[in-house]
Amino acid sequence: MSAQTSPAEKGLNPGLMCQESYACSGTDEAIFECDECCSLQCLRCEEELHRQERLRNHERIRLKPGHVPYCDLCKGLSGHLPGVRQRAIVRCQTCKINLCLECQKRTHSGGNKRRHPVTVYNVSNLQGSLEAEEMDEETKRKKMTEKVVSFLLVDENEEVQVTNEEDFIRKLDCKPDQHLKVVSIFGNTGDGKSHTLNHTFFYGREVFKTSPTQESCTVGVWAAYDPVHKVAVIDTEGLLGATVNLSQRTRLLLKVLAISDLVIYRTHADRLHNDLFKFLGDASEAYLKHFTKELKATTARCGLDVPLSTLGPAVIIFHETVHTQLLGSDHPSEVPEKLIQDRFRKLGRFPEAFSSIHYKGTRTYNPPTDFSGLRRALEQLLENNTTRSPRHPGVIFKALKALSDRFSGEIPDDQMAHSSFFPDEYFTCSSLCLSCGVGCKNSMNHGKEGVPHEAKSRCRYSHQYDNRVYTCKACYERGEEVSVVPKTSASTDSPWMGLAKYAWSGYVIECPNCGVVYRSRQYWFGNQDPVDTVVRTEIVHVWPGTDGFLKDNNNAAQRLLDGMNFMAQSVSELSLGPTKAVTSWLTDQIAPAYWRPNSQILSCNKCATSFKDNDTKHHCRACGEGFCDGCSSKTRPVPERGWGPAPVRVCDNCYEARNVQLAITEAQVDDEGGTLIARKVGEAVQNTLGAVVTAIDIPLGLVKDAARPAYWVPDHEILHCHNCRKEFSIKLSKHHCRACGQGFCDECSHDRRAVPSRGWDHPVRVCFNCNKKPAWTSLSVVTGKSPLC
């Protein structure tokens, strides 16, 4: 770019000296002007500076005769188009700077500086060329915005209408690596928000739709890209206009505010209404309370390179009047921003979330409205990156999507407290405790992150929901809070052994740390209440959609019915009579360890008579082998097997050898002792088993309703599969999930797993959804608080 200067060129601009002083100490005449260095440079300084790699591509121009430099102080931004710099009219010989008229008045009109000698530039010849330059610049910028169109970003139902980042960038029509800021506008319906954006950013083109009709022309949130200022411009619905989904539409405004760097509040009222201050004050409070935490979480969750600022945007109140003076006109000593802060304070609103609040007014004596003052204020604020920096359009989309996913869902208008523009109900979980009616304090959709419901206050007991939970007292005294539940059987018992023990000793309370800590009928008399001895009680909240409480579900009858149904199914497949099969099956389930299983007994162990399908098989209580009735009709005590002093059935051989002591080891006695308890109960049950078995011939619905646990949905209320919605019929049987209690078809509930929290310690039928949940592994949850609180 540089070249040797001819002698003729020297002396053309004797008043212009080098402003860099890099190689010449400021004594040489200026030959070049570098726009990017913003300085006049002599030949030597120009060569030395632009040898550097980072400065090599700077645009420089050679000075012509009569050249007038730019102002060194203001850079020409005030009162002019963006990027059009102000020319100087004088050069201060003492300060060694060039000054435009405005900067000369501001810096050299008083004190000692007014006596500084100045050199006046001849700008009359340049006036026409400067005006032409500005006209060319404005024409260029208008051309840049000719193809800009707006698009629907979010509809009135808070649904984002852009599928992903690429779609957002494509609709904005900007480069993916372009750094942007976001400018949005708010105000009452009919105040000309869309018109303001069109004239401020797009030179009057109708990028955002305007309409002279009474209906609102902007529904939802619309966006467009301004390539001149490099900002995403967002137009919103007017306040006080929507009649449907008012709460959701109001909440949508705060989401837009949260992603904005600069907010324009447009008002056409002759006097500033209280609604303006209440809206901004409530928006600030809601932003700090609900959005700052979510914006931080989005930064971490999405791995954004540019952190989302937790301080809100700057606000410009654009006030247009016709008949009244602008704010502050009657108080020259006070700036408008001070009067606005006083107004906020009087209304008890504190806009602490916003990085700054500015007032820009214009009085329109005759249309059209002058938007130049607003444009200049916007350009100055957009250049300030102290609080909020430009970021890629993908970051903007991720922030909007995260806020939309978090704060979504219907808001019933009849439940809203309309004393605030942004009540907590807009952003907090809408679930109410069924017992006490208090609301959940967590943010919306917290369940997606696995966060349980929580309330600020304690709950009250409700008999309908029985919302008491038990915690192990011994664990509590050791510093742990372990919830426990009354159950039919211990987790270590087999299904039928547990059922037999339940009939004999009552329900149990089992702690995962301490084991079985309580049996309701452990002693024949004097059993104490568990609350007085081994557990503590706590009243917890009842939230809609939860699985209920870890209580005794009284499923003993259903467990027996499940076994009978399974057995009866097998019996029908073999064409056997159900009564004998039930007896045989029950005998095998609770038989002592030394008994031979019924399935292995094909003939009498003494006479070798083969057993037919309906023949009764008898076990000798002494040797455990199988006999016909004729070969085992005698009775005698068998205390060595644990049957006590009462006579029991024995075979002929054992009866004849009654004076001979059986050789039974101590280990066998211990092993058989537990199963004998179940067998003794079983023998008592078998006396009435015939009556129980006839239940198979009774309508199944009647039996199931009688045995149904409390949390199961009654059969007559189940019309469709809870998952696939198929309608139940004679051919399509209904099944209950042992975890949630809902009704399902076989296809949607064929999985098997243990559900200890419901009293099913062994694999039972569960639905497809419950099978996907984290394992129902224990009777309790070891946490700092109850999972249902």
Side-chain angles (χ1 to χ4, degrees), residues 444-603:
M444 284 186 159
N445 300 310
H446 59 86
K448 294 180 180 178
E449 298 179 357
V451 179
H453 294 291
E454 292 183 89
K456 295 180 180 178
S457 58
R458 297 183 67 85
C459 192
R460 63 170 180 261
Y461 178 72
S462 169
H463 178 73
Q464 177 184 358
Y465 299 105
D466 193 18
N467 53 329
R468 261 182 319 199
V469 295
Y470 298 131
T471 56
C472 176
K473 187 173 291 186
C475 291
Y476 181 78
E477 292 173 354
R478 292 196 300 267
E480 296 181 85
E481 191 165 350
V482 182
S483 297
V484 295
V485 293
K487 298 183 57 178
T488 302
S489 62
S491 59
T492 55
D493 292 334
S494 64
W496 277 94
M497 173 58 67
L499 186 60
K501 287 185 178 181
Y502 172 73
W504 190 261
S505 302
Y507 70 85
V508 301
I509 297 178
E510 184 177 14
C511 170
N513 296 335
C514 308
V516 175
V517 295
Y518 180 80
R519 283 191 181 272
S520 61
R521 295 195 297 274
Q522 185 172 5
Y523 309 106
W524 287 109
F525 61 90
N527 291 294
Q528 293 180 294
D529 191 290
V531 176
D532 298 331
T533 54
V534 295
V535 298
R536 297 173 62 254
T537 59
E538 183 179 351
I539 309 302
V540 296
H541 292 283
V542 187
W543 301 108
T546 56
D547 291 326
F549 299 100
L550 306 181
K551 293 285 188 182
D552 175 20
N553 295 292
N554 298 318
N555 62 3
Q558 182 61 39
R559 289 169 66 184
L560 176 61
L561 186 60
D562 280 352
M564 290 172 59
N565 285 341
F566 171 76
M567 194 286 312
Q569 213 169 17
S570 302
V571 166
S572 62
E573 292 173 0
L574 297 173
S575 301
L576 296 177
T579 304
K580 295 294 182 183
V582 168
T583 305
S584 176
W585 179 72
L586 178 60
T587 300
D588 280 345
Q589 295 300 318
I590 59 176
Y594 69 95
W595 281 24
R596 184 180 297 277
N598 276 280
S599 58
Q600 297 179 15
I601 301 174
L602 304 179
S603 60

Side-chain angles (χ1 to χ4, degrees), residues 193-208:
K193 299 184 303 302
S194 303
H195 180 75
T196 299
L197 295 179
N198 289 337
H199 282 268
T200 304
F201 292 98
F202 305 108
Y203 301 95
R205 283 189 61 246
E206 191 171 306
V207 173
F208 296 105

